[in-house]
Amino acid sequence: MEDYEKSLQAVENALDLFSEYVSRKHSLESLMDSEKNSYLQLKMTQVAIHEASEGIDVALDLVPEVFALYGDLYSVAEKANDEQVPEKVAEPKQEDNSDVVSTKSRLFSLSRTLSRTPKFRHGTANGTAGRQASTHHRNGSIPPVPRLSTSSRVAPVQAPLASSKVAKSDLVNLWLWAASMYRRGELIQDAEEALVEAEKVGISSADIKVEMGLLLKATQQYRAALAEFESALEIGKANPRAVVGLAQLIYEQSEEFLKEGQETSSSVSTLLFLNEHDRLAAVTRAQGLLEMLISSGQGFNCSEGWYLMSLFQEQEGDMTGATEALWKCIKLEETRSVRSFSVLEF
């Protein structure tokens, strides 16, 4: 816990320094794309530390802050684009349901809210950003960030439209990040909405397929989940998350098949395998993908890959191989960061 507190303080100090840097430049518009991306990644890392130390519920409450930051970073450029190309939008009809909002107003509601929102520091020496933001909300000094729906405790927020390539890429990654958090928080509908928003941006991504596969798996739609993982591997054959997602699904289904045998029952009918031959073929393929992953430069430090390999080897009775793979996983977990080092790439 002490390490988390130190890490959180370091991130919040970095966010404060970034805020001061922006103040000296007098304009967010003057920031380079790499600087905007770094600013977003810092904020997302802050949320990740909160999740690791305080749980997913605390982290979910901070999701709107990250979308607000995205809106702050890109709203200036998007506003200029919107002024250059006026768009006629029909006024929505007045309805009794106050939760129904027009598409146009939803898309720009966050940027309008930001213009009325008092600025506040990302963190102080006396408390975390999450607690500080909660205090502001209770005092009524910061308007609530717009939600897409009111069907659950935490719903996705809508960021401004993105027109530039970098803005679109950041927005896709932001929606995927949010979808993953909602899924881990068991907010399935909100996770699905976040994925829909990611697809609307128009950038094809293996990560979108992977996240959809994980969401379908969470709702026990195993065949559909498998199809999404396969699609992700077609887009990016070396995608670690796609390999891990597919391998984990096959392992879990293999375990269920072995428990149930080949009896005809409602539980067996939901499995991926029709017979033992199907199961063995799937397991062999999953192990082959895992071996390629953990022996590659991109996945040698993938603890999930090593763990799944140990499970498959244990399932086959290879206890020596299972033990070696498990110890490798443990060593990697001991030094695992709260976020992947891939976020440093730009």
Side-chain angles (χ1 to χ4, degrees):
M1 183 61 69
E2 183 179 351
D3 289 339
Y4 286 134
E5 291 177 356
K6 291 180 179 179
S7 299
L8 186 61
Q9 188 62 59
V11 170
E12 291 178 347
N13 289 341
L15 286 168
D16 287 339
L17 289 173
F18 222 126
S19 296
E20 294 174 6
Y21 172 70
V22 171
S23 298
R24 289 198 301 271
K25 283 204 164 191
H26 304 295
S27 172
L28 287 169
E29 191 176 14
S30 61
L31 291 178
M32 295 186 295
D33 290 335
S34 59
E35 292 174 323
K36 292 180 180 180
N37 179 267
S38 297
Y39 205 169
L40 275 174
Q41 295 299 340
L42 270 174
K43 187 65 179 176
M44 293 161 74
T45 299
Q46 181 191 45
V47 176
I49 297 173
H50 276 293
E51 180 181 356
S53 60
E54 301 175 71
I56 187 64
D57 287 341
V58 173
L60 284 171
D61 289 336
L62 300 176
V63 170
E65 290 187 19
V66 185
F67 277 89
L69 177 59
Y70 176 92
D72 238 347
L73 291 171
Y74 289 107
S75 61
V76 175
E78 301 308 328
K79 182 179 179 182
N81 291 333
D82 191 47
E83 290 174 351
Q84 292 172 6
V85 185
E87 181 179 356
K88 295 182 179 180
V89 180
E91 290 293 329
K93 295 180 180 180
Q94 296 294 329
E95 297 182 9
D96 294 335
N97 186 359
S98 59
D99 291 333
V100 177
V101 186
S102 68
T103 302
K104 181 69 174 179
S105 63
R106 280 219 316 260
L107 289 171
F108 290 98
S109 58
L110 180 55
S111 59
R112 288 200 301 270
T113 301
L114 288 170
S115 65
R116 300 192 301 270
T117 302
K119 301 298 180 183
F120 60 97
R121 293 171 66 83
H122 294 282
T124 66
N126 297 324
T128 65
R131 288 192 291 271
Q132 186 182 33
S134 298
T135 302
H136 280 291
H137 277 289
R138 287 195 297 271
N139 294 338
S141 59
I142 295 182
V145 179
R147 309 284 190 183
L148 278 178
S149 69
T150 56
S151 59
S152 60
R153 185 178 64 82
V154 180
V157 296
Q158 179 65 57
L161 279 171
S163 61
S164 71
K165 184 176 180 180
V166 174
K168 286 183 177 181
S169 177
D170 279 348
L171 186 55
V172 168
N173 291 332
L174 194 53
W175 279 122
L176 286 174
W177 170 80
S180 178
M181 292 197 63
Y182 291 133
R183 173 176 52 79
R184 294 197 299 276
E186 298 182 354
L187 301 173
I188 302 301
Q189 180 180 346
D190 297 320
E192 184 178 0
E193 289 180 4
L195 284 176
V196 169
E197 294 297 332
E199 290 180 330
K200 283 181 181 179
V201 179
I203 297 179
S204 178
S205 168
D207 289 332
I208 294 179
K209 297 290 186 181
V210 171
E211 193 57 46
M212 181 60 75
L214 293 172
L215 185 60
L216 289 166
K217 177 175 172 288
T219 56
Q220 299 183 347
Q221 300 179 63
Y222 302 123
R223 293 186 184 279
L226 180 63
E228 293 295 334
F229 291 135
E230 294 284 10
S231 296
L233 288 172
E234 289 178 4
I235 298 174
K237 294 182 179 180
N239 188 297
R241 296 185 70 234
V243 172
V244 169
L246 183 142
Q248 185 174 16
L249 175 61
I250 289 177
Y251 171 77
E252 292 174 357
Q253 289 289 287
S254 177
E255 282 289 285
E256 287 296 318
F257 185 89
L258 292 174
K259 287 179 182 178
E260 297 290 341
Q262 298 185 36
E263 299 176 3
T264 302
S265 66
S266 58
S267 60
V268 172
S269 65
T270 64
L271 299 179
L272 292 176
F273 318 121
L274 297 176
N275 49 50
E276 177 67 4
H277 178 74
D278 281 352
R279 186 191 73 83
L280 289 175
V283 167
T284 300
R285 179 162 184 264
Q287 285 183 297
L289 289 170
L290 285 172
E291 287 176 358
M292 286 191 293
L293 174 65
I294 60 180
S295 61
S296 68
Q298 189 177 9
F300 74 96
N301 61 345
C302 178
S303 59
E304 293 94 340
W306 285 101
Y307 179 66
L308 284 167
M309 181 60 75
S310 74
L311 292 178
F312 277 118
Q313 289 172 329
E314 181 183 19
Q315 192 179 74
E316 293 182 345
D318 182 4
M319 301 309 298
T320 301
T323 301
E324 291 177 356
L326 185 58
W327 273 113
K328 180 66 175 179
C329 170
I330 292 172
K331 290 180 180 179
L332 289 170
E333 282 293 312
E334 288 176 348
T335 57
R336 181 171 181 163
S337 58
V338 293
R339 297 187 69 202
S340 170
F341 289 112
S342 62
V343 301
L344 300 175
E345 301 173 1
F346 180 78

